[in-house]
Amino acid sequence: MKITITQRSLFRRRVLWGVGLVVFVLAALNSCAIWTVLVTNPKLSPRTEARSDGKSFVKPGAGGVPIVHLHGTPYERGHAHGAMLKDEIRTLYENYLGIIVTYTYGRNDYLKVARAMLPHMPEAYVEEMRGIADGAGTGLSFDDVLVANVFLDVSQQVGCSTFTLDESRVSDPQDIMLGRNLDFTSLNIAGRYSHVFVHHGTGGHDVLAPSWPGLVGAVSGMNDKGLALAMMLVPSEELNSASMPYAMLYRQILERAATAEQARVTLLELGCRASVTNNLTIFDVNGEGFVAEIEPNRGGAAQVRFREECAGCAFSTNHFNEEHGELETDPYGNSYERWDLMKTKLAGEKPLTVDDAKALLKELAMDGKNLQSMIFLPRRREMLLAAIGPDAVERPYESYNLDRLLGHSP
């Protein structure tokens, strides 16, 4: 089943995001009770203490971002996820996700899409979601977890920027990188709740993924072989519900592929299940990578195009390359402007450093929406992450070492 987002509903969604949520925040400012809940209530911050559930555990992370290690069967990983993070999941659902769901299409429409997608989701991830619901206990149903895990596909509000640099574009060959900003409406809630998830023993490669409690997919991440990826949503009027949520698709790629070429093959094998239009950036330890432009099923197969913008680098925002500058209005915020900025900054001959990459990410960040900013360094087996807040890029980048977190070398 393919669901078409009509012009009227698309207009409604954009108006509600651009105006309705502003109205909500302004109303909150005039309500002491709501303002206390959203801004000043210390309970609306993730717990920082260490805790465990079976083989899985949460430990305090650098910069206030908790690190969640998940072990066991899919259901056991999900159950531990739900049990250890139940307060965070409920807070996000009640004070953030539930509000946005209501202000866009409404829970019934989200649930309709989620149930249509359910047969196309990997069984292991379905078991994880069942485990999350059971582990979290009273007040969170499996349907709630389903809605949370199709939220990104239906709302279509992720606005991001990514770039890759190979040996020819960096000052130190060890610093080949994938840089990434994740920009999204925060409501002063989502920005506080970033967690780093470490998926162990999934039957494939172990995966490191910055994400949020209650979600099982990956929109950014790196696996134990140093393969890194990040997605950028391209707004569309269609959603293919005969598919898995795109974050699940991308976690599958990280679990299955060790190199950019293997990721390309895996994407083509699984791409027929793409839910919405996306740009996907892939980069590996060999300095090989690409941007894939992915469209939902048309005629039984997804359209996937691979591209590179300049020698030694690839970059992408929230539109397809062939559409750059051709639409009357920017398809997402300042997507054209960010694309042009990267073209200017990356097309030169000067080798770039990690500090240069941080400075570029700061220029690219969308004001008030930058929830996570990260740099994956495959050869150093390291992720640098700035998180916490609606302007995360203003915070220090903290280092996450793959070998230390995953417990082994390739």
Side-chain angles (χ1 to χ4, degrees):
M1 179 175 67
K2 183 178 292 185
I3 294 176
T4 298
I5 301 172
T6 65
Q7 291 291 340
R8 181 177 179 182
S9 61
L10 188 66
F11 175 77
R12 175 173 178 254
R13 182 181 70 203
R14 289 174 176 170
V15 167
L16 286 171
W17 274 85
V19 178
L21 292 179
V22 171
V23 171
F24 173 84
V25 173
L26 291 175
L29 288 170
N30 291 320
S31 168
C32 181
I34 296 177
W35 177 248
T36 298
V37 169
L38 289 182
V39 179
T40 63
N41 191 338
K43 292 183 180 179
L44 291 191
S45 294
R47 292 171 292 168
T48 57
E49 74 275 10
R51 50 204 184 275
S52 63
D53 184 280
K55 298 178 181 179
S56 299
F57 59 95
V58 178
K59 59 187 296 187
V65 180
I67 302 173
V68 184
H69 290 262
L70 298 175
H71 294 264
T73 66
Y75 181 83
E76 289 169 345
R77 290 197 301 272
H79 193 280
H81 181 161
M84 295 187 298
L85 302 176
K86 59 186 177 183
D87 292 343
E88 289 83 352
I89 294 170
R90 287 173 181 152
T91 296
L92 281 169
Y93 199 94
E94 293 170 3
N95 298 284
Y96 175 73
L97 188 145
I99 292 170
I100 294 178
V101 165
T102 299
Y103 268 80
T104 49
Y105 295 112
R107 187 176 186 277
N108 288 340
D109 284 349
Y110 275 80
L111 189 56
K112 177 182 177 181
V113 173
R115 287 174 175 168
M117 283 185 164
L118 184 59
H120 305 281
M121 298 180 190
E123 183 56 34
Y125 298 169
V126 175
E127 285 301 300
E128 277 194 45
M129 290 190 293
R130 294 191 191 282
I132 290 172
D134 291 347
T138 304
L140 190 78
S141 68
F142 178 65
D143 281 350
D144 292 333
V145 179
L146 266 181
V147 167
N149 279 277
V150 303
F151 167 68
L152 296 175
D153 303 79
V154 180
S155 67
Q156 295 196 33
Q157 293 297 326
V158 180
C160 306
S161 307
T162 65
F163 58 85
T164 67
L165 301 174
D166 71 10
E167 283 188 21
S168 69
R169 300 296 295 117
V170 294
S171 57
D172 185 334
Q174 290 299 106
D175 287 339
I176 62 170
M177 70 182 78
L178 187 161
R180 190 274 208 283
N181 278 341
L182 191 154
D183 300 309
F184 198 92
T185 297
S186 172
L187 291 187
N188 207 31
I189 299 290
R192 304 184 190 188
Y193 278 81
S194 289
H195 287 56
V196 171
F197 287 83
V198 187
H199 299 278
H200 300 271
T202 61
H205 299 295
D206 291 351
V207 172
L208 174 72
S211 187
W212 283 268
L215 305 184
V216 303
V219 294
S220 318
M222 182 160 63
N223 69 16
D224 55 17
K225 297 298 183 183
L227 178 71
L229 64 72
M231 58 69 58
M232 290 71 51
L233 186 129
V234 177
S236 169
E237 294 181 16
E238 289 187 349
L239 185 152
N240 176 27
S241 59
S243 66
M244 71 178 82
Y246 62 75
M248 295 185 184
L249 172 65
Y250 300 151
R251 179 177 157 189
Q252 276 203 317
I253 291 174
L254 288 172
E255 290 175 348
R256 294 187 182 192
T259 66
E261 182 56 33
Q262 290 179 11
R264 186 192 304 265
V265 171
T266 303
L267 179 59
L268 290 173
E269 291 175 348
L270 298 175
C272 60
R273 305 175 200 176
S275 59
V276 295
T277 49
N278 268 224
N279 286 326
L280 176 67
T281 301
I282 297 280
F283 195 63
D284 69 16
V285 72
N286 300 314
E288 298 178 355
F290 55 83
V291 174
E293 297 180 338
I294 306 169
E295 295 186 71
N297 294 31
R298 287 181 174 85
Q303 295 183 10
V304 182
R305 294 179 295 274
F306 300 96
R307 59 180 171 82
E308 187 174 276
E309 270 73 11
C310 59
C313 69
F315 54 90
S316 185
T317 54
N318 303 108
H319 61 277
F320 288 160
N321 191 35
E322 64 185 16
E323 298 172 345
H324 183 69
E326 294 186 358
L327 302 181
E328 292 183 4
T329 58
D330 195 314
Y332 190 99
N334 57 350
S335 184
Y336 290 164
E337 180 182 340
R338 286 178 280 126
W339 194 95
D340 287 334
L341 176 62
M342 285 191 283
K343 183 178 181 180
T344 300
K345 296 284 187 178
L346 301 178
E349 297 181 359
K350 177 188 173 183
L352 302 179
T353 66
V354 171
D355 284 341
D356 291 331
K358 291 178 181 178
L360 177 55
L361 288 169
K362 188 171 183 178
E363 288 188 70
L364 292 167
M366 298 177 71
D367 291 343
K369 291 187 175 183
N370 183 243
L371 305 190
Q372 296 172 348
S373 183
M374 64 201 78
I375 300 172
F376 295 105
L377 301 166
R379 288 186 180 168
R380 295 194 184 277
R381 299 182 62 74
E382 182 181 19
M383 175 183 72
L384 304 177
L385 174 68
I388 308 298
D391 292 297
V393 74
E394 301 289 344
R395 298 176 62 88
Y397 286 80
E398 305 292 347
S399 173
Y400 296 80
N401 179 271
L402 265 181
D403 294 328
R404 191 176 303 119
L405 291 171
L406 300 179
H408 62 83
S409 297

